[in-house]
Amino acid sequence: MLSIIINHYKSPEVLRLCLNYLKKNAPDGSEIIVTDSETIEKTQDMMHYDFPEIIFLREEKNVGFAKSVNRGIQNARGDFFLIINADVMVTEKDAIPKMLSYMESHPDLGALGPRLFNINGEHQPSCFRFYTPRTILARRTPYGKTPWGKKELERFLINVTGSDPITSDWVMGSALLVRRSAYEQVGPMDERYFMYLEDTDWCRTLWEKGWKVVYYPEAFFYHYHFQASKKHGAILDVLTNKYTRIHLLSAIKYFRKYGLKVPRYDI
């Protein structure tokens, strides 16, 4: 059985579109769970009247991505968990079955990420190597425009060519299929992260416990992705953009937890 866990925050019309696509394209018998942070009346009414068959978990406050996902999993019954943000659209009938089939045929696989496209059809990077402090500098400061910064960004982003599966250090948590038995071994997402790097952390824990993480471009979803934390690497962004500050705080937590050494898994 598949449990689909949708992380949502104050965008009911986007959530409606996501759910309508899932009703058409999710495998028969799938369980759908919406975890809703800082629930507003419009979302609650929509779920009650238009989607009464879907499990709806309310939160009075914005609890963050990790806690939202963990609560969904705690209420899930499936052998596999498909975790998606509410701005992810599953437009193809065979996308989820392809992912499930691949995971079922690879018992050492703990997490699987599909290819993501922006709404305009452009490829959206979603598989990466582990962060170093230089990665943060390259992504958030003018260092990223130097030859050394560009080289670091090239290392960080795994180049995707063709449709063959790619072993990846981590894949973006916006769309991630996870095996229950792997989850039971590694535990929930680390809720010390409010937003950003909780997916990196989780995938790293999977690797540490002997599970593989794979990017699977043969299946694709659309992702209406807004990079709220990024403004061309401006130094002042740390002061003016709260999402950049959250990202940097998550990075500090990550490096305090793991140190500066980057693990190698033959990727």
Side-chain angles (χ1 to χ4, degrees):
M1 178 181 176
L2 174 68
S3 295
I4 302 174
I5 297 159
I6 303 168
N7 170 61
H8 176 250
Y9 177 71
K10 288 187 174 181
S11 56
E13 292 308 318
V14 174
L15 176 61
R16 179 190 297 276
L17 187 60
C18 172
L19 291 174
N20 282 333
Y21 274 120
L22 285 174
K23 287 177 72 173
K24 289 190 293 185
N25 296 322
D28 292 342
S30 296
E31 171 185 64
I32 301 177
I33 300 170
V34 173
T35 58
D36 188 50
S37 274
E38 203 172 327
T39 300
I40 59 176
E41 184 177 357
K42 186 174 182 180
T43 303
Q44 184 167 298
D45 288 347
M46 180 187 77
M47 295 303 300
H48 177 75
Y49 292 109
D50 299 339
F51 302 100
E53 74 283 7
I54 291 174
I55 299 170
F56 182 61
L57 305 176
R58 300 172 64 255
E59 292 284 358
E60 292 184 3
K61 298 180 180 180
N62 184 3
V63 298
F65 180 74
K67 187 172 288 187
S68 178
V69 168
N70 288 343
R71 188 180 179 199
I73 291 176
Q74 288 164 7
N75 286 271
R77 296 175 294 145
D79 300 310
F80 299 94
F81 312 127
L82 177 62
I83 299 160
I84 61 173
N85 282 341
D87 60 354
V88 169
M89 309 300 159
V90 183
T91 60
E92 304 299 311
K93 188 75 173 177
D94 64 347
I96 298 175
K98 281 182 178 179
M99 294 176 68
L100 287 169
S101 177
Y102 187 82
M103 183 165 271
E104 287 171 345
S105 63
H106 294 78
D108 59 345
L109 182 55
L112 186 71
R115 181 190 292 268
L116 295 178
F117 289 114
N118 295 320
I119 294 300
N120 63 4
E122 293 180 350
H123 169 76
Q124 184 179 115
S126 59
C127 65
F128 309 93
R129 294 181 180 88
F130 288 124
Y131 280 94
T132 70
R134 288 203 307 161
T135 317
I136 302 296
L137 287 174
R139 299 189 75 197
R140 296 289 171 248
T141 76
Y143 173 72
K145 297 180 181 180
T146 68
W148 304 278
K150 291 178 180 177
K151 185 176 181 179
E152 173 58 22
L153 291 174
E154 288 176 1
R155 181 206 66 84
F156 174 68
L157 178 62
I158 295 177
N159 187 33
V160 175
T161 58
S163 59
D164 292 335
I166 300 171
T167 306
S168 177
D169 279 345
W170 66 280
V171 290
M172 199 154 63
S174 302
L176 189 62
L177 182 65
V178 177
R179 188 187 304 271
R180 175 183 283 277
S181 56
Y183 167 81
E184 289 174 346
Q185 186 176 0
V186 304
M189 282 189 173
D190 189 335
E191 295 181 3
R192 287 176 291 182
Y193 303 98
F194 177 79
M195 185 189 303
Y196 305 121
L197 274 85
E198 62 281 280
D199 43 10
T200 314
D201 181 292
W202 214 25
C203 288
R204 184 162 177 168
T205 307
L206 284 166
W207 279 111
E208 288 178 347
K209 297 295 185 179
W211 295 95
K212 290 184 177 180
V213 177
V214 167
Y215 172 77
Y216 185 67
E218 192 170 330
F220 69 86
F221 302 160
Y222 284 94
H223 184 204
Y224 184 79
H225 180 54
F226 173 62
Q227 286 186 295
S229 64
K230 190 173 183 180
K231 281 188 179 179
H232 310 296
I235 293 289
L236 289 178
D237 223 22
V238 178
L239 301 176
T240 61
N241 189 319
K242 72 173 183 178
Y243 294 103
T244 297
R245 294 196 299 273
I246 292 170
H247 198 170
L248 292 175
L249 287 171
S250 291
I252 291 169
K253 293 174 184 177
Y254 177 83
F255 291 122
R256 281 181 176 173
K257 181 175 180 178
Y258 290 107
L260 302 182
K261 187 176 180 180
V262 177
R264 304 293 182 186
Y265 295 106
D266 297 325
I267 295 171

